[in-house]
Amino acid sequence: MNSIAKGKINIGLMIPYKREDGLHEIRSVFVPISFGDPMEIQVYPLSVGQTSSFHLVSENHLHGYRHEKFEEVSERGDLTRNILYKAFQKLTSYLREPVSITIHLQKYLPPEGGIGGGSSNAGLFLKELFPWTHLPKEEEIPLAKSIGADVPFFLQPSSCYVSGIGEVLEPISVAKGSGILAIPPFGLSTASMYLGLQKSLQKPYGSEVWKFLAEDLIRSLQVGDWAYLQNRLENEFEKIAFQTQPLLKELKLGFYESGAVYASLSGSGSCYYGIYPSDRERDEALRIVSDRFPDMEFRTFSF
């Protein structure tokens, strides 16, 4: 099976409270984008009595410190730390028969980017392997959640309104769009970003006010009224990201000055994106922001 493990962007991200289990509740709209990692997954049945095997063959197209970061968990490093291998380990006991699995991965999605990275890879792998298992349908999301908070989203076919720690998913219609993704030469630690929010411990009943998106926001997402959403669906991590890396604040301004109708940090960062009215305007803007931020890597995407 050849496919693309798509990245995602967050349109708005709010963290209403810290849960008693130490994790944080989130409220966000996750949107899959065209930019991602090409993956070829080959699964072959083995004879009864043989042991299932896992093989990863990867091409590392990442730059800067991220190149080495992926190497550490690739087949050239410690494969047991790789999220795909962890997913395989989780599924082994559910396999109907022993299998040989080979994954050819071209790695472009950056770790510490807030756009899905390894979670996207794991989600695509699980979708391919679930039919080889006797895992009940209702247990697929819990198993995906045990691998990573964002993994359940990557089992879905569309954009979702996301709550819980990322596993409560409600499909939502989002208008098509064109964007530019900026991949900074630095990362932002998810743990330190959450720490910076200093969210107090609250009981779940205190979250009801955050449970649903207002009708006007849903309608604006459906029709692509990004200007209306600019100051209404914001990423709560931005204030910390701008303090930690002021360049991101300049980048936001650069996106808007180049014609973006919506710009935001994705997840806890460090990737930042801008949405444009059309492919033509996006491509023109790409030249502008590339000249203005020569040390930044930019990728175009659609959704």
Side-chain angles (χ1 to χ4, degrees):
M1 186 276 296
N2 290 296
S3 192
I4 300 288
K6 294 181 176 181
K8 59 87 175 165
I9 55 173
N10 294 74
I11 300 178
L13 176 55
M14 182 164 285
I15 300 87
Y17 63 91
K18 186 176 182 180
R19 298 158 28 136
E20 291 180 328
D21 61 7
L23 301 174
H24 289 79
E25 280 281 318
I26 70 168
R27 302 290 182 266
S28 185
V29 175
F30 284 17
V31 178
I33 60 175
S34 57
F35 173 55
D37 293 338
M39 285 177 65
E40 180 184 355
I41 303 171
Q42 299 170 327
V43 185
Y44 299 107
L46 299 174
S47 301
V48 175
Q50 289 187 283
T51 302
S52 293
S53 62
F54 175 94
H55 307 279
L56 176 64
V57 181
S58 63
E59 297 176 21
N60 188 348
H61 298 281
L62 300 169
H63 300 116
Y65 84 95
R66 290 187 172 95
H67 184 94
E68 183 58 34
K69 197 168 186 67
F70 178 73
E71 286 298 292
E72 292 172 357
V73 299
S74 76
E75 71 276 19
R76 295 170 292 276
D78 183 358
L79 187 62
T80 62
R81 294 169 53 202
N82 188 283
I83 194 169
L84 289 167
Y85 182 78
K86 292 177 181 178
F88 166 71
Q89 291 288 88
K90 290 275 187 180
L91 282 179
T92 300
S93 62
Y94 297 101
L95 289 168
R96 299 181 188 276
E97 58 186 327
V99 295
S100 171
I101 299 167
T102 300
I103 300 174
H104 293 265
L105 170 67
Q106 296 182 50
K107 192 64 187 169
Y108 292 96
L109 292 172
E112 295 186 349
I115 60 171
S119 296
S120 173
N121 296 167
L124 184 60
F125 175 60
L126 290 178
K127 283 195 289 187
E128 178 68 13
L129 214 58
F130 278 152
W132 292 82
T133 72
H134 53 73
L135 182 73
K137 187 74 174 176
E138 63 272 15
E139 293 183 24
E140 290 179 359
I141 292 294
L143 184 136
K145 175 186 171 185
S146 73
I147 297 168
D150 288 348
V151 177
F153 168 70
F154 291 104
L155 300 179
Q156 313 307 311
S158 66
S159 301
C160 290
Y161 175 60
V162 180
S163 56
I165 64 167
E167 85 285 10
V168 182
L169 304 155
E170 302 172 37
I172 186 171
S173 175
V174 175
K176 293 181 179 180
S178 301
I180 298 174
L181 181 74
I183 305 175
F186 51 81
L188 292 173
S189 161
T190 301
S192 63
M193 294 293 280
Y194 272 110
L195 186 63
L197 288 176
Q198 298 181 329
K199 290 293 177 176
S200 60
L201 184 65
Q202 297 180 26
K203 297 292 184 182
Y205 63 74
S207 70
E208 288 304 305
V209 67
W210 308 108
K211 192 169 183 182
F212 300 107
L213 277 178
E215 286 186 13
D216 61 326
L217 300 180
I218 293 175
R219 187 168 55 252
S220 296
L221 286 166
Q222 290 173 338
V223 301
D225 187 354
W226 303 109
Y228 181 80
L229 295 170
Q230 271 182 29
N231 299 312
R232 292 176 173 85
L233 279 182
E234 298 181 304
N235 186 330
E236 200 170 352
F237 282 118
E238 278 200 0
K239 57 188 177 184
I240 303 164
F242 289 168
Q243 293 170 2
T244 306
Q245 292 288 351
L247 180 62
L248 291 174
K249 191 171 185 178
E250 293 179 36
L251 186 60
K252 181 174 188 173
L253 180 63
F255 273 140
Y256 278 125
E257 289 181 347
S258 68
V261 288
Y262 186 89
S264 176
L265 188 73
S266 189
S268 58
S270 62
C271 287
Y272 211 96
Y273 69 89
I275 296 175
Y276 292 82
S278 68
D279 289 354
R280 179 184 59 79
E281 288 162 288
R282 176 200 64 191
D283 294 345
E284 289 176 358
L286 179 61
R287 291 191 289 272
I288 296 171
V289 294
S290 296
D291 288 343
R292 182 167 176 177
F293 302 96
D295 296 328
M296 195 80 67
E297 179 184 354
F298 291 99
R299 297 277 184 169
T300 60
F301 66 87
S302 59
F303 57 89

